Amino acid sequence: MTTVVMTTGFMTIATFADLLQEARKQPKPQRLLFVFVRAELPDFPDADQRRRFEQGEGGVLVPVVCVDKSTEELTSMAALVDESRRTEIEWDLVFTAAMDDPKDDAEVERQLQRMMESLQMGNITAYLVFDHHGDAVNVG
């Protein structure tokens, strides 16, 4: 995985802090959606897949937990990482999306479910991806 700078519309996002800053600038309050994933070996890996995985490359991304947060609830990536550690669920990357806060928990849950289903089908390009340090990464 390599660090990248992502440009979406008029936003350039290289870190989680950039995402928070841009989300807070939006005219409507934002709700950030997070799907934490863990890299795992695929079922029945061949020797090359196993070798690459052991070198920290390849594998399949498996969603392990999801959560939503308002921009007021978030202070930094370090705080999000600290909160995630309390779940005792190991993760490698976090996929992130933003939406106007609908003030409706059911709608937020529907969007999180769609996001998880999209990731499980391999559709990853619509999301920003961050590592534990809050750096944007390219997983494609």
Side-chain angles (χ1 to χ4, degrees):
M1 289 175 273
T2 57
T3 301
V4 295
V5 175
M6 300 176 171
T7 303
T8 56
F10 296 103
M11 296 185 274
T12 299
I13 297 175
T15 66
F16 188 78
D18 294 341
L19 172 66
L20 282 179
Q21 181 179 11
E22 291 298 330
R24 289 178 178 137
K25 288 181 185 177
Q26 299 306 303
K28 293 183 180 179
Q30 297 294 293
R31 179 67 63 181
L32 299 178
L33 309 177
F34 302 101
V35 176
F36 296 83
V37 300
R38 179 175 42 236
E40 296 181 356
L41 272 171
D43 293 335
F44 312 108
D46 61 31
D48 185 52
Q49 288 172 318
R50 186 174 301 281
R51 179 190 54 76
R52 288 184 61 225
F53 184 79
E54 289 169 357
Q55 294 175 342
E57 300 174 357
V60 293
L61 298 174
V62 178
V64 293
V65 69
C66 64
V67 68
D68 66 285
K69 297 281 183 183
S70 70
T71 55
E72 292 81 30
E73 293 175 288
L74 291 168
T75 57
S76 67
M77 185 63 173
L80 186 64
V81 168
D82 185 51
E83 183 178 333
S84 75
R85 283 192 179 125
R86 286 179 258 171
T87 68
E88 298 183 7
I89 297 173
E90 295 293 321
W91 58 274
D92 296 306
L93 299 170
V94 61
F95 284 77
T96 310
M99 65 185 286
D100 290 346
D101 192 340
K103 306 292 185 207
D104 174 10
D105 288 342
E107 179 59 25
V108 172
E109 289 297 321
R110 279 191 292 278
Q111 293 303 323
L112 275 171
Q113 185 62 38
R114 286 185 188 134
M115 188 174 170
M116 287 190 45
E117 290 169 359
S118 180
L119 292 172
Q120 288 170 327
M121 293 188 313
N123 300 325
I124 61 174
T125 58
Y127 307 106
L128 294 172
V129 185
F130 298 98
D131 63 16
H132 286 258
H133 304 289
D135 294 320
V137 296
N138 181 4
V139 293

